[in-house]
Amino acid sequence: MINVLIADDHKMFVDGIESILKLEDDIQVVARCYNGGEVEHLVDEYNVDLLLLDVNLPGMNGIEVCKRMKIVKPDLKIIAISMFNEESYVSEILSNGASGYILKNTGREELLKAVKIVHSGLSYFSEEVKATIMKSLMNQNKKKEASKTFFPKVSKREKEVLALIIDEHTTSEIAKKLFISLKTVESHRSSLLNKLNARNTAGLVRIAIENNILAEQKA
Amino acid sequence: MINVLIADDHKMFVDGIESILKLEDDIQVVARCYNGGEVEHLVDEYNVDLLLLDVNLPGMNGIEVCKRMKIVKPDLKIIAISMFNEESYVSEILSNGASGYILKNTGREELLKAVKIVHSGLSYFSEEVKATIMKSLMNQNKKKEASKTFFPKVSKREKEVLALIIDEHTTSEIAKKLFISLKTVESHRSSLLNKLNARNTAGLVRIAIENNILAEQKA
DNA sequence: CAAATATTGAGGGTAAACCACTAGATTGAA
DNA sequence: TTCAATCTAGTGGTTTACCCTCAATATTTG
């Protein structure tokens, strides 16, 4: 017997899920709730095996709930349910312990399949969700490149200096390593601050890392 | 008619693919090559529509080839083929322009399906590949947490200071913002350097970003 | 070839960061 | 209720970073 808890703020939707699940002999909806805060004590009280969790819950949202439940009850299986097929939602909740992600337009058959598969210890994702993730993978580089072009290109030598700065070397250490004068390194630092629009070393390092400056094509 | 180029260093495998594709009326294998370097001129010469590309090629590897081809001929469709169902390979080549990823144990039917779907402008991934990506998504947080624990916990106040440092504020600016003395901020900076094992501000920022220190649970 | 950019270097100075040491008040966990 | 950690703050000093201005040589690009 699979003990299921449904957590979703849309009561009609909860009723719908329940009506589907109650027809199954091996599935039992032991409780339902309409906000994130109640989940924890209900899971305890009713010995819940599987949680059907809305991602966008009022109060404590689905991601927080998921994180929390995986700490207090790691063997609890969680399927995320959402209206939105958004890459950010999917990756957030999956990296926080959910074993499945299905959309709210999912049919009866698929819902039952998801519940049974996840309960068995495997994971389940609807085809649309998988497609969204693959698409976002393909777009990753485009996004990076778009954000890159805001900066003027950093020259080869400047990149060398930048790499050593990020590697915690001081100006004089860098000068010795590159066999150039201290003043030259200072010049490069100064150009870097200008080009990357940074106020100081902290900003230089942050901007360089965030924009992957060192990995850019050879200037 | 779909003009296909096969690039793979295993000749027997190339022959296998070709024997499958040649039976189709609307597919024509116009050329084949066994290393990355030849791809570019063959694509030009034979007016290739679709490239079946091994990820692990000698000379110029598949990812480099993919990147290059998307620059010189953006409308060329590319399907990556690999022996390995590895998350890193998949995400690397997909973010560099491939529209599909199939494994070398793929059957005849699936290969044809992939070629036709990708040629039509959509993308195609075998189920195993999609499963691998979803699994790696689910493990993302675990990896992060494992690498986190190497550092002693950074206190709440220290995190506030750290955030302002990363945001390019000087010690005196931070003191004013937090309504504390300059010397107190210096103390916090000093503890941060110790705790994160950094030599200077540059290291502090790098380590904080790389290890996602600011996003950790409330200390 | 000419113009722009990159690389190199300098003088002279101020601001910021870092170091060692100390120490009282507060607070949270054993 | 100790005890360790945190937050606070100081003295005093050294080192490093950053700013401005200037300039010769080299390399790349239109």
Side-chain angles (χ1 to χ4, degrees):
Chain A
M1 181 63 75
I2 310 175
N3 288 335
V4 174
L5 167 62
I6 306 171
D8 193 315
D9 61 321
H10 299 88
K11 302 194 183 187
M12 254 176 49
F13 186 72
V14 174
D15 291 345
I17 294 181
E18 190 167 357
S19 73
I20 292 172
L21 297 182
K22 69 156 53 144
L23 298 176
E24 298 297 302
D25 295 333
D26 52 348
I27 300 175
Q28 187 178 19
V29 177
V30 292
R32 53 210 77 63
C33 66
Y34 311 106
N35 62 68
E38 290 178 59
V39 173
E40 189 168 348
H41 92 261
L42 286 174
V43 165
D44 266 359
E45 198 174 329
Y46 291 99
N47 192 32
V48 171
D49 298 310
L50 192 147
L51 169 61
L52 286 170
L53 178 64
D54 187 12
V55 178
N56 313 97
L57 272 177
M60 189 190 239
N61 78 40
I63 284 142
E64 287 305 314
V65 173
C66 201
K67 217 183 269 187
R68 179 105 192 92
M69 294 317 299
K70 275 289 152 179
I71 295 168
V72 300
K73 187 169 173 160
D75 60 327
L76 175 71
K77 309 293 184 211
I78 300 173
I79 298 179
I81 318 177
S82 176
M83 200 94 103
F84 309 106
N85 189 4
E86 289 263 353
E87 187 270 337
S88 56
Y89 287 171
V90 177
S91 54
E92 257 297 291
I93 203 158
L94 290 192
S95 66
N96 283 110
S99 302
Y101 194 108
I102 56 180
L103 301 177
K104 288 203 174 174
N105 61 10
T106 296
R108 182 195 135 78
E109 293 301 328
E110 194 175 351
L111 175 61
L112 291 174
K113 194 171 158 190
V115 168
K116 285 171 186 176
I117 287 180
V118 168
H119 180 255
S120 81
L122 302 171
S123 55
Y124 184 87
F125 312 97
S126 56
E127 283 301 321
E128 297 105 301
V129 171
K130 284 191 264 186
T132 299
I133 295 297
M134 300 311 283
K135 194 177 284 178
S136 86
L137 247 189
M138 288 194 279
N139 287 329
Q140 251 172 30
N141 222 353
K142 286 177 195 165
K143 281 180 205 158
K144 277 184 201 164
E145 270 167 38
S147 68
K148 266 179 197 170
T149 49
F150 288 112
F151 300 104
K153 58 185 167 203
V154 176
S155 75
K156 202 169 72 190
R157 199 57 157 172
E158 283 163 351
K159 269 187 218 172
E160 293 183 72
V161 172
L162 181 54
L164 290 167
I165 292 171
I166 293 175
D167 210 27
E168 303 188 303
H169 294 286
T170 66
T171 300
S172 73
E173 284 170 358
I174 295 170
K176 276 169 199 157
K177 260 185 195 281
L178 299 183
F179 303 104
I180 54 181
S181 141
L182 192 112
K183 278 295 173 184
T184 305
V185 180
E186 276 190 355
S187 285
H188 290 312
R189 287 191 87 123
S190 170
S191 326
L192 281 165
L193 287 174
N194 273 319
K195 284 186 178 178
L196 301 188
N197 216 345
R199 284 182 65 195
N200 51 33
T201 303
L204 206 59
V205 173
R206 177 178 54 79
I207 294 166
I209 294 176
E210 280 176 357
N211 297 86
N212 221 247
I213 302 290
L214 294 179
E216 269 178 346
Q217 69 291 337
K218 324 93 195 169
Chain B
M1 181 62 76
I2 309 175
N3 288 336
V4 174
L5 166 63
I6 307 172
D8 193 316
D9 60 321
H10 298 89
K11 302 194 183 186
M12 254 177 47
F13 186 73
V14 174
D15 290 345
I17 293 181
E18 190 166 358
S19 73
I20 292 173
L21 297 183
K22 71 157 52 142
L23 298 177
E24 298 296 304
D25 296 332
D26 51 349
I27 300 175
Q28 187 178 20
V29 178
V30 292
R32 50 210 78 65
C33 67
Y34 311 105
N35 61 67
E38 292 179 58
V39 173
E40 189 167 347
H41 93 259
L42 286 174
V43 165
D44 266 359
E45 199 175 329
Y46 292 98
N47 192 30
V48 172
D49 299 310
L50 191 146
L51 169 61
L52 286 169
L53 178 64
D54 187 13
V55 179
N56 313 97
L57 271 178
M60 189 192 243
N61 79 40
I63 285 143
E64 287 306 313
V65 174
C66 201
K67 217 183 271 187
R68 179 104 192 91
M69 294 316 298
K70 275 289 152 177
I71 295 168
V72 299
K73 187 170 173 161
D75 59 328
L76 175 71
K77 309 293 183 210
I78 300 173
I79 298 179
I81 318 177
S82 175
M83 201 92 104
F84 310 107
N85 190 3
E86 290 263 353
E87 186 270 338
S88 56
Y89 287 170
V90 177
S91 55
E92 258 297 292
I93 203 158
L94 289 193
S95 66
N96 282 110
S99 303
Y101 195 109
I102 57 180
L103 301 177
K104 288 203 176 175
N105 62 9
T106 295
R108 182 195 136 78
E109 293 301 328
E110 194 175 351
L111 174 61
L112 292 173
K113 195 170 156 190
V115 167
K116 285 170 186 175
I117 287 179
V118 168
H119 179 255
S120 80
L122 301 173
S123 56
Y124 183 87
F125 313 98
S126 56
E127 282 303 320
E128 298 104 301
V129 171
K130 284 190 265 186
T132 299
I133 295 298
M134 299 311 282
K135 194 177 282 178
S136 86
L137 247 189
M138 287 193 279
N139 287 329
Q140 250 172 27
N141 221 354
K142 286 177 194 164
K143 281 181 205 157
K144 277 183 201 164
E145 271 167 36
S147 67
K148 267 180 196 171
T149 50
F150 288 113
F151 299 104
K153 57 185 166 203
V154 176
S155 75
K156 202 170 73 191
R157 199 57 156 174
E158 284 163 351
K159 269 186 220 170
E160 293 183 71
V161 172
L162 181 54
L164 291 168
I165 292 172
I166 294 174
D167 210 27
E168 304 188 302
H169 293 286
T170 67
T171 300
S172 74
E173 284 171 358
I174 296 169
K176 275 169 199 157
K177 261 186 195 282
L178 300 183
F179 302 105
I180 54 181
S181 140
L182 191 114
K183 279 296 169 183
T184 304
V185 180
E186 276 191 354
S187 286
H188 290 311
R189 287 191 87 124
S190 172
S191 325
L192 282 166
L193 288 173
N194 274 319
K195 283 187 180 178
L196 301 188
N197 216 346
R199 285 182 65 195
N200 51 34
T201 303
L204 207 59
V205 174
R206 177 179 53 80
I207 294 166
I209 294 176
E210 280 176 357
N211 297 86
N212 223 246
I213 302 290
L214 294 180
E216 270 178 346
Q217 70 293 334
K218 324 93 197 170

